[in-house]
Amino acid sequence: MGRLILYAGNSNLPLAREIAHRAGSRLSEATVESFPDGETRVRLEESVRGADVFIIQSICPPANHHLMELLLMIDAARRASAKRVTAIIPYYAYARQEKKLTGREPISAKLVANLIATAGADRVLTVDLHSPAIEGFFDIPVDHLRSAPIMADYLRELGLSNLVVVSPDVGGVKRANRLRQFLDAKASLAVVFKERPEEPTAPAILGMVGEVEGKTALIIDDIIATGDTIIEAAEVLVNRGARKIYVCAVHPVFAPGAVENLLAAPIEKIVVTNTIPIPSGLGERMVVVDMAPLLAEAIRYIHEGRSMTTLFEKVEAEWRAERARS
Ligand code: R5P
């Protein structure tokens, strides 16, 4: 494979710079800005001919704008004769619409996958997709990194005991169980779910399966947008007698108003990753776990044509060794 070249769009430059630094490289110069009429203008300022090009871009808010930057950068690299183009997408948006819930709806997760492949990406590297099935929406290889071992490393430092790991919806049970296995195999598992009453206008009722009374509850979700899902789950847990509540969310999307809502919620700490720029306002209640080392290592593995399974096994082995030491 040719030289390793890293480019980044504007969505998360602090993370992109950190990845470049960890990968022993640098971000190549690019012009990524707007024309006066608002259209996106891209120019890769350094040659990519014959190179192994990685374009780092999270599709975080404003998602449409950042998606367009990504597509144009891929297209530019492809037309400038890059040997291979890998889209590094730490946060893959439009993922929550991965199936039709009613008639006449799009499947946005599939459309965005089509757009990325059509633009010219040869492969994709991403972190904690909303649903692992989205990998199959791409007709190009997808390497799907999970933050659970890294989250678990931090959470262990908190010394939480008598723990129950909670999924705030039925779709997230596997994610919660995976974190539970990394964190504390003795911890129990619970799930909060929505029940629709028979009368169509009546509000949904939140139910729960699992025992939380007197326990420390750790809610894990992939995304915090408005914060409603997490806050509703936290309230159910408090009502069922949970002693303390911690939250883990991979992608802190934080829609307007989310910080204020979360500040008022009965939550001790919110642990997120830096796949998208970190929202301010939560002070010490928020802890950020760095995904740059893992993403940089994954880039090196891809560039050197090494097996990604080996990387996943290495991460788990390091985590086990760390746990044995502590
Ligand atoms: C839903 O399926 C997702 O996993 C998250 O629970 C949801 O997107 C969070 O959104 P919000 O913070 O707006 O409730």
Side-chain angles (χ1 to χ4, degrees):
M1 203 39 75
R3 298 160 293 143
L4 185 155
I5 291 195
L6 296 173
Y7 275 103
N10 288 318
S11 66
N12 192 352
L13 281 168
L15 175 70
R17 289 192 191 106
E18 189 57 25
I19 292 172
H21 171 68
R22 299 261 178 181
S25 184
R26 66 175 179 87
L27 293 181
S28 294
E29 288 295 320
T31 299
V32 187
E33 57 187 26
S34 294
F35 285 110
D37 63 359
E39 289 181 0
T40 301
R41 171 175 177 249
V42 161
R43 182 169 194 273
L44 307 181
E45 303 291 354
E46 298 179 38
S47 169
V48 296
R49 186 169 295 272
D52 191 15
V53 176
F54 294 81
I55 298 171
I56 306 167
Q57 177 81 326
S58 275
I59 313 177
C60 53
N64 296 350
H65 182 74
H66 287 146
L67 174 62
M68 198 63 196
E69 282 188 3
L70 173 65
L71 297 174
L72 294 179
M73 291 182 85
I74 295 170
D75 185 69
R78 176 58 61 219
R79 289 174 192 282
S81 306
K83 180 142 191 174
R84 179 172 68 178
V85 180
T86 303
I88 310 289
I89 310 177
Y91 170 57
Y92 184 79
Y94 281 110
R96 283 170 287 177
Q97 212 166 12
E98 90 282 29
K99 55 181 173 294
K100 287 168 70 167
L101 293 178
T102 67
R104 299 183 297 283
E105 286 186 340
I107 302 182
S108 324
K110 171 65 178 151
L111 175 64
V112 171
N114 286 349
L115 290 172
I116 290 165
T118 302
D122 294 295
R123 58 189 306 134
V124 166
L125 172 67
T126 189
V127 178
D128 281 294
L129 287 166
H130 173 64
S131 156
I134 294 170
E135 283 179 44
F137 292 5
F138 288 87
D139 289 328
I140 52 178
V142 176
D143 292 309
H144 184 187
L145 302 177
R146 306 310 209 282
S147 60
I150 300 166
M151 289 274 202
D153 262 350
Y154 168 73
L155 290 164
R156 245 196 354 267
E157 286 174 22
L158 296 177
L160 308 177
S161 59
N162 194 15
L163 191 66
V164 54
V165 180
V166 183
S167 171
D169 56 39
V170 176
V173 173
K174 275 195 177 163
R175 181 182 302 113
N177 194 37
R178 189 177 165 82
L179 184 67
R180 184 187 71 84
Q181 286 163 343
F182 274 111
L183 192 55
D184 176 0
K186 289 200 286 294
S188 52
L189 192 65
V191 55
V192 174
F193 58 87
K194 273 194 178 143
E195 275 179 323
R196 293 261 159 224
E198 298 212 334
E199 312 80 73
T201 50
I205 304 164
L206 285 173
M208 208 193 82
V209 174
E211 193 45 65
V212 299
E213 189 163 359
K215 295 192 178 204
T216 299
L218 173 67
I219 308 174
I220 164 84
D221 207 349
D222 57 333
I223 297 166
I224 295 181
T226 61
D228 289 352
T229 305
I230 290 289
I231 293 166
E232 286 173 1
E235 283 163 0
V236 171
L237 296 173
V238 168
N239 292 338
R240 305 277 177 122
R243 212 168 48 84
K244 280 189 173 172
I245 295 169
Y246 291 77
V247 167
C248 239
V250 184
H251 310 292
V253 175
F254 282 34
V259 169
E260 293 71 20
N261 294 342
L262 289 164
L263 278 172
I267 297 169
E268 305 290 320
K269 258 197 197 320
I270 302 177
V271 184
V272 298
T273 77
N274 56 348
T275 54
I276 57 185
I278 304 307
S280 58
L282 281 173
E284 291 190 352
R285 275 172 87 187
M286 186 154 84
V287 173
V288 181
V289 169
D290 187 8
M291 291 302 293
L294 182 59
L295 283 160
E297 194 148 18
I299 288 173
R300 275 200 303 269
Y301 268 63
I302 293 170
H303 179 61
E304 291 163 12
R306 291 160 73 187
S307 151
M308 289 298 277
T309 308
T310 324
L311 174 61
F312 301 146
E313 285 166 359
K314 180 170 167 254
V315 171
E316 296 201 7
E318 281 172 359
W319 168 82
R320 278 198 190 86
E322 184 60 39
R323 193 175 62 163
R325 273 197 293 277
S326 61

